[in-house]
Amino acid sequence: MPLTLYVDGPRWSRHLDAVRDAHPGIVPVLKGNGYGFGLERLAERSAELGVDTLAVGRYEEVAAAAGRFDGSVLVLTPWRPFETRAAYGDHVVHTVGRLEDLRALAGREHRPRVVLERLTSMRRHGFSAAGLREAAGLLGGVTLDGVAFHLPISAGSHLTEVDRLMTDVVAAGLPTRRVYVSHLGPGEVEALRRTWPDYELRPRIGTGLWLGARDTLAARATVLDAHAVERGDVYGYRSRTAPAAGTILVVSGGTAHGIGLEAPTGGATLRDRAARVAKGGLDAAGFVRSPFTVGGKLRLFAEPPHMQASMLFLPAGAPAPRVGDEVDVRVRFTTTTFDQTVVSGAAG
Ligand SMILES: *Cc1c(COP(=O)(O)O)cnc(C)c1O
């Protein structure tokens, strides 16, 4: 019995189209668990969106994407000499951020396609301004596809920083006008287009595209079992005793799905805890809030999640759902492995 991702197909599709239309030159990003949808599905959707390029996180993900998508596949993690799984087909675009890597790639046959990454205030990967100028002299054995900036996800404006980075690109005299940017707002991209009209700006977007319309998505777990307990009854891997009468509800979804413990309920200080013990609340029994909603309320874990299922405690009086019913579960899509995805409507 599964943990299911439900997608309102027609509305999700309309959202994807709208994001594409609002971001000319968009490069969809798919990586990891495919933002909860899976890499193959997102590669297929990217093809349907009509884009010429998509981006994956790692070389291991190239095959899944390229199987469903005919265009270019940009690998976001920079190429390294130890990267034994790197694919070198014409569809693959390598990200390069160090001179020694550029030299090594330039020594390969078939002129690998490369994007030169300029280090930003993120300080994750990329060339310094001087490094970029030096890289411009090492392009003999590669095909330069563009440069890239990966900005931090910050509330403030990136424009001052990006203007400085663009100046570095111009100063390097690179034979390309294409710049891939990550985590710029649409207004920022528009402003940069006005400032740098000769350049082709390509926004790389994952979360805002795939997960930007949360109300078209729902995660639900299936009720697998329900056991009435009296206060003092023993249950669970840890042989705990029920602090009150109620129901132990077993639902699908555990650590293997990425279901984790939520923060403890209420305040975490000793004083808070003492107050809760005095009130005799269930969380005083050490129960921790779960991401599962039953009867409109987030319920407590009866014990930490198991590998594929979770045990919840429903106090007496709370209506217990039946075996086979589904309950809502709050998930982080980027860390959740669903058992199945159900897309409604023909357009899904
Ligand atoms: C993951 C990633 C993105 C996409 O990030 P979202 O926040 O999901 O839009 C863009 N650029 C780089 C370099 C990334 O690693």
Side-chain angles (χ1 to χ4, degrees), residues 141-157:
V142 297
T143 301
L144 183 62
D145 186 79
V147 295
F149 309 145
H150 185 192
L151 282 308
I153 303 177
S154 63
S157 166

PDB file of all heavy atoms in Angstrom, residues 141-157:
ATOM      1  N   GLY A 141      40.765  22.818 -27.582  1.00  0.00           N
ATOM      2  CA  GLY A 141      40.243  21.467 -27.799  1.00  0.00           C
ATOM      3  C   GLY A 141      38.803  21.265 -27.390  1.00  0.00           C
ATOM      4  O   GLY A 141      38.340  20.122 -27.322  1.00  0.00           O
ATOM      5  N   VAL A 142      38.090  22.370 -27.076  1.00  0.00           N
ATOM      6  CA  VAL A 142      36.696  22.224 -26.637  1.00  0.00           C
ATOM      7  C   VAL A 142      35.790  23.119 -27.466  1.00  0.00           C
ATOM      8  O   VAL A 142      36.252  23.990 -28.198  1.00  0.00           O
ATOM      9  CB  VAL A 142      36.533  22.606 -25.141  1.00  0.00           C
ATOM     10  CG1 VAL A 142      37.332  21.670 -24.245  1.00  0.00           C
ATOM     11  CG2 VAL A 142      36.924  24.056 -24.902  1.00  0.00           C
ATOM     12  N   THR A 143      34.478  22.888 -27.346  1.00  0.00           N
ATOM     13  CA  THR A 143      33.492  23.783 -27.949  1.00  0.00           C
ATOM     14  C   THR A 143      32.839  24.558 -26.812  1.00  0.00           C
ATOM     15  O   THR A 143      32.242  23.952 -25.918  1.00  0.00           O
ATOM     16  CB  THR A 143      32.423  22.974 -28.706  1.00  0.00           C
ATOM     17  OG1 THR A 143      33.088  22.203 -29.714  1.00  0.00           O
ATOM     18  CG2 THR A 143      31.403  23.887 -29.351  1.00  0.00           C
ATOM     19  N   LEU A 144      32.991  25.864 -26.838  1.00  0.00           N
ATOM     20  CA  LEU A 144      32.448  26.672 -25.745  1.00  0.00           C
ATOM     21  C   LEU A 144      30.957  26.928 -25.973  1.00  0.00           C
ATOM     22  O   LEU A 144      30.557  27.507 -26.977  1.00  0.00           O
ATOM     23  CB  LEU A 144      33.200  28.004 -25.638  1.00  0.00           C
ATOM     24  CG  LEU A 144      32.756  28.904 -24.484  1.00  0.00           C
ATOM     25  CD1 LEU A 144      32.999  28.233 -23.134  1.00  0.00           C
ATOM     26  CD2 LEU A 144      33.451  30.256 -24.550  1.00  0.00           C
ATOM     27  N   ASP A 145      30.161  26.490 -24.994  1.00  0.00           N
ATOM     28  CA  ASP A 145      28.708  26.617 -25.106  1.00  0.00           C
ATOM     29  C   ASP A 145      28.185  27.837 -24.353  1.00  0.00           C
ATOM     30  O   ASP A 145      27.094  28.324 -24.621  1.00  0.00           O
ATOM     31  CB  ASP A 145      28.070  25.344 -24.531  1.00  0.00           C
ATOM     32  CG  ASP A 145      26.564  25.314 -24.727  1.00  0.00           C
ATOM     33  OD1 ASP A 145      26.144  24.997 -25.843  1.00  0.00           O
ATOM     34  OD2 ASP A 145      25.840  25.638 -23.765  1.00  0.00           O
ATOM     35  N   GLY A 146      28.948  28.312 -23.367  1.00  0.00           N
ATOM     36  CA  GLY A 146      28.487  29.471 -22.609  1.00  0.00           C
ATOM     37  C   GLY A 146      29.255  29.586 -21.309  1.00  0.00           C
ATOM     38  O   GLY A 146      30.210  28.845 -21.061  1.00  0.00           O
ATOM     39  N   VAL A 147      28.837  30.560 -20.494  1.00  0.00           N
ATOM     40  CA  VAL A 147      29.357  30.667 -19.134  1.00  0.00           C
ATOM     41  C   VAL A 147      28.178  30.518 -18.178  1.00  0.00           C
ATOM     42  O   VAL A 147      27.023  30.551 -18.603  1.00  0.00           O
ATOM     43  CB  VAL A 147      30.095  32.014 -18.889  1.00  0.00           C
ATOM     44  CG1 VAL A 147      31.331  32.113 -19.742  1.00  0.00           C
ATOM     45  CG2 VAL A 147      29.163  33.174 -19.145  1.00  0.00           C
ATOM     46  N   ALA A 148      28.495  30.321 -16.898  1.00  0.00           N
ATOM     47  CA  ALA A 148      27.422  30.081 -15.929  1.00  0.00           C
ATOM     48  C   ALA A 148      27.714  30.769 -14.608  1.00  0.00           C
ATOM     49  O   ALA A 148      28.863  30.842 -14.171  1.00  0.00           O
ATOM     50  CB  ALA A 148      27.272  28.575 -15.700  1.00  0.00           C
ATOM     51  N   PHE A 149      26.623  31.269 -13.994  1.00  0.00           N
ATOM     52  CA  PHE A 149      26.685  31.838 -12.639  1.00  0.00           C
ATOM     53  C   PHE A 149      25.653  31.135 -11.780  1.00  0.00           C
ATOM     54  O   PHE A 149      24.472  31.107 -12.138  1.00  0.00           O
ATOM     55  CB  PHE A 149      26.292  33.331 -12.612  1.00  0.00           C
ATOM     56  CG  PHE A 149      26.992  34.220 -13.588  1.00  0.00           C
ATOM     57  CD1 PHE A 149      26.301  35.285 -14.157  1.00  0.00           C
ATOM     58  CD2 PHE A 149      28.326  34.034 -13.920  1.00  0.00           C
ATOM     59  CE1 PHE A 149      26.922  36.147 -15.042  1.00  0.00           C
ATOM     60  CE2 PHE A 149      28.958  34.883 -14.812  1.00  0.00           C
ATOM     61  CZ  PHE A 149      28.254  35.948 -15.378  1.00  0.00           C
ATOM     62  N   HIS A 150      26.072  30.642 -10.649  1.00  0.00           N
ATOM     63  CA  HIS A 150      25.146  30.041  -9.689  1.00  0.00           C
ATOM     64  C   HIS A 150      25.065  30.962  -8.483  1.00  0.00           C
ATOM     65  O   HIS A 150      25.974  30.993  -7.661  1.00  0.00           O
ATOM     66  CB  HIS A 150      25.654  28.644  -9.296  1.00  0.00           C
ATOM     67  CG  HIS A 150      24.722  27.898  -8.400  1.00  0.00           C
ATOM     68  ND1 HIS A 150      25.089  26.746  -7.747  1.00  0.00           N
ATOM     69  CD2 HIS A 150      23.432  28.120  -8.049  1.00  0.00           C
ATOM     70  CE1 HIS A 150      24.063  26.290  -7.035  1.00  0.00           C
ATOM     71  NE2 HIS A 150      23.053  27.113  -7.195  1.00  0.00           N
ATOM     72  N   LEU A 151      23.974  31.711  -8.396  1.00  0.00           N
ATOM     73  CA  LEU A 151      23.828  32.689  -7.319  1.00  0.00           C
ATOM     74  C   LEU A 151      23.194  32.054  -6.086  1.00  0.00           C
ATOM     75  O   LEU A 151      22.487  31.060  -6.197  1.00  0.00           O
ATOM     76  CB  LEU A 151      22.941  33.856  -7.793  1.00  0.00           C
ATOM     77  CG  LEU A 151      23.543  34.933  -8.713  1.00  0.00           C
ATOM     78  CD1 LEU A 151      24.830  35.491  -8.120  1.00  0.00           C
ATOM     79  CD2 LEU A 151      23.792  34.425 -10.107  1.00  0.00           C
ATOM     80  N   PRO A 152      23.433  32.651  -4.910  1.00  0.00           N
ATOM     81  CA  PRO A 152      22.766  32.125  -3.708  1.00  0.00           C
ATOM     82  C   PRO A 152      21.263  32.385  -3.788  1.00  0.00           C
ATOM     83  O   PRO A 152      20.817  33.274  -4.522  1.00  0.00           O
ATOM     84  CB  PRO A 152      23.399  32.923  -2.572  1.00  0.00           C
ATOM     85  CG  PRO A 152      23.960  34.149  -3.202  1.00  0.00           C
ATOM     86  CD  PRO A 152      24.277  33.810  -4.623  1.00  0.00           C
ATOM     87  N   ILE A 153      20.495  31.585  -3.056  1.00  0.00           N
ATOM     88  CA  ILE A 153      19.050  31.834  -2.965  1.00  0.00           C
ATOM     89  C   ILE A 153      18.869  32.860  -1.860  1.00  0.00           C
ATOM     90  O   ILE A 153      18.800  32.530  -0.697  1.00  0.00           O
ATOM     91  CB  ILE A 153      18.290  30.545  -2.608  1.00  0.00           C
ATOM     92  CG1 ILE A 153      18.588  29.453  -3.620  1.00  0.00           C
ATOM     93  CG2 ILE A 153      16.792  30.816  -2.529  1.00  0.00           C
ATOM     94  CD1 ILE A 153      17.940  28.119  -3.315  1.00  0.00           C
ATOM     95  N   SER A 154      18.839  34.116  -2.233  1.00  0.00           N
ATOM     96  CA  SER A 154      18.737  35.140  -1.195  1.00  0.00           C
ATOM     97  C   SER A 154      17.596  36.075  -1.518  1.00  0.00           C
ATOM     98  O   SER A 154      17.161  36.174  -2.654  1.00  0.00           O
ATOM     99  CB  SER A 154      20.045  35.922  -1.108  1.00  0.00           C
ATOM    100  OG  SER A 154      20.262  36.592  -2.330  1.00  0.00           O
ATOM    101  N   ALA A 155      17.123  36.737  -0.496  1.00  0.00           N
ATOM    102  CA  ALA A 155      15.990  37.640  -0.695  1.00  0.00           C
ATOM    103  C   ALA A 155      16.439  38.913  -1.407  1.00  0.00           C
ATOM    104  O   ALA A 155      15.691  39.516  -2.158  1.00  0.00           O
ATOM    105  CB  ALA A 155      15.367  37.976   0.663  1.00  0.00           C
ATOM    106  N   GLY A 156      17.692  39.317  -1.182  1.00  0.00           N
ATOM    107  CA  GLY A 156      18.169  40.578  -1.743  1.00  0.00           C
ATOM    108  C   GLY A 156      18.387  40.506  -3.252  1.00  0.00           C
ATOM    109  O   GLY A 156      18.265  39.451  -3.855  1.00  0.00           O
ATOM    110  N   SER A 157      18.714  41.649  -3.825  1.00  0.00           N
ATOM    111  CA  SER A 157      18.942  41.702  -5.264  1.00  0.00           C
ATOM    112  C   SER A 157      20.327  41.155  -5.607  1.00  0.00           C
ATOM    113  O   SER A 157      21.296  41.360  -4.878  1.00  0.00           O
ATOM    114  CB  SER A 157      18.842  43.150  -5.735  1.00  0.00           C
ATOM    115  OG  SER A 157      19.365  43.246  -7.038  1.00  0.00           O
TER     116      SER A 157
END
